[in-house]
Amino acid sequence: MPWREIKDTTGSAAAIPFLLAALASGDAGAARTALERLRNRICRYGFVVDQATAVTVPFLWDLALRPEVTCRAQILDLLRNIAGARQWETTAAAYPKLRRRHGHYVAWEDAARRAVRAHSGAIPRLLNDQNAELVQATEELASALAA
C-alpha cells in the first residue's frame, strides 16, 4: 500500500501502518493510544473521513476478528462511525456547486462506506463471540449497516 501517497485527515497517511501494528500488538495501552490516533486520521470527530479511510477499513475488520486484539469493540465502533459518515454527501446535496470543487471528498465517503459493507460478512462470527462488549458493538454496527 503506498501509504505516503495517500491522504488522511492530517496529511500523509504514512503513519497508519504503524498505528495498525500497535493495535495488533496485544498491549492494551498502546492499542488504545493507537486507536485514538488512527480515529483522528481516518474518521476525525466521528464523521470526517478522507482518502485513507477506505483502504484502512479491511485492516480494521481483520483486527476486529483477532481475539488477541484488546480493543475490538472500539474498532467496531470506529467502523460504525465510518459507515455513517455523510458530511460531504449531505453538504453537496444542499449545495451542488460544492461537488465540483470538493467532489473527491464525497467519493471518499462513499468508498469508505462501501468498504465497511464489503466486509460485513464477518458480523455473524463476531456475534458469536464470548465478549459481551464486542457482541454489543457488533449489533450496533449491524444496525447501522441495515439502516
Side-chain angles (χ1 to χ4, degrees):
M1 187 66 55
W3 292 105
R4 290 191 184 286
E5 299 168 21
I6 299 171
K7 181 182 176 299
D8 67 23
T9 63
T10 66
S12 169
I16 289 178
F18 301 103
L19 296 172
L20 292 169
L23 283 171
S25 71
D27 178 330
R32 273 192 310 275
T33 300
L35 184 60
E36 285 310 308
R37 289 181 179 161
L38 184 64
R39 181 183 301 277
N40 186 49
R41 289 176 169 272
I42 66 167
C43 192
R44 186 175 275 184
Y45 310 121
F47 60 87
V48 179
V49 301
D50 218 301
Q51 183 182 21
T53 307
V55 298
T56 306
V57 164
F59 296 101
L60 294 174
W61 274 109
D62 179 61
L63 290 167
L65 289 167
R66 294 182 185 188
E68 68 275 12
V69 173
T70 60
C71 56
R72 298 187 313 153
Q74 293 77 19
I75 290 170
L76 293 175
D77 289 340
L78 175 56
L79 288 169
R80 182 175 43 85
N81 290 148
I82 293 167
R86 286 182 169 72
Q87 173 198 1
W88 287 100
E89 178 183 290
T90 303
T91 305
Y95 303 100
K97 290 181 181 180
L98 181 74
R99 187 178 292 270
R100 285 193 296 256
R101 291 179 61 197
H102 302 289
H104 53 284
Y105 286 101
V106 176
W108 292 339
E109 277 181 346
D110 182 56
R113 289 192 309 268
R114 282 187 286 115
V116 174
R117 288 182 190 287
H119 293 85
S120 62
I123 288 175
R125 181 173 160 196
L126 292 166
L127 287 171
N128 288 321
D129 199 275
Q130 298 299 313
N131 181 320
E133 181 185 19
L134 181 70
V135 170
Q136 181 179 348
T138 304
E139 289 171 346
E140 291 171 3
L141 175 56
S143 292
L145 292 174

